[in-house]
Amino acid sequence: MSQVLAVVLACREDPAPAGRYSHIGAATEDALYIAGGANEDGKPGDAWKFVFATGTWEQLPDPPNAMFRATATRYGQDIFVFGGADDGGYAGGWMWSTTDGSWTSLPDGPPGRYKAASEVIEGVLYPDDAVALHGGSVDTADGTQTLADLWVWD
């Protein structure tokens, strides 16, 4: 219980990210990474790392878009981020490096979407590990379209 209390107290110190919801998050062995989302002030376009060993936050390079209602999953030392809604539409796929905080667009990625699911497939469908993305939603002139496609990167 004391470890949880230490994390809660560290979240109140500066620098620290603003409160948010519908943001992305993924963890490595030594840190928690968060980006995007929304709060009462809009959609913060920022990215942060919480270092477990020191109990401190570090601000990272901003993501390429708001990352609102995107999905993220860690694969090795990178975080794969898919979709997310922003004021200009829907985002495609990105690889977020936990080494230097950089963002790299995934070539030939899926069409933009939000509220999708992603996960690492550990040698089940392919001989090596892979990252999978399924479903999500897009808003169209006729309403919300629910997607049923499956994308896999190995």
Side-chain angles (χ1 to χ4, degrees), residues 31-77:
L32 171 69
Y33 294 79
I34 65 165
N39 61 28
E40 59 276 357
D41 295 324
K43 295 177 182 161
D46 57 358
W48 293 82
K49 172 172 86 171
F50 183 79
V51 181
F52 299 134
T54 62
T56 58
W57 287 100
E58 297 175 16
Q59 190 159 12
L60 300 174
D62 289 345
N65 62 46
M67 301 290 169
F68 176 69
R69 294 185 174 166
T71 183
T73 191
R74 188 190 100 190
Y75 181 63
Q77 290 302 307

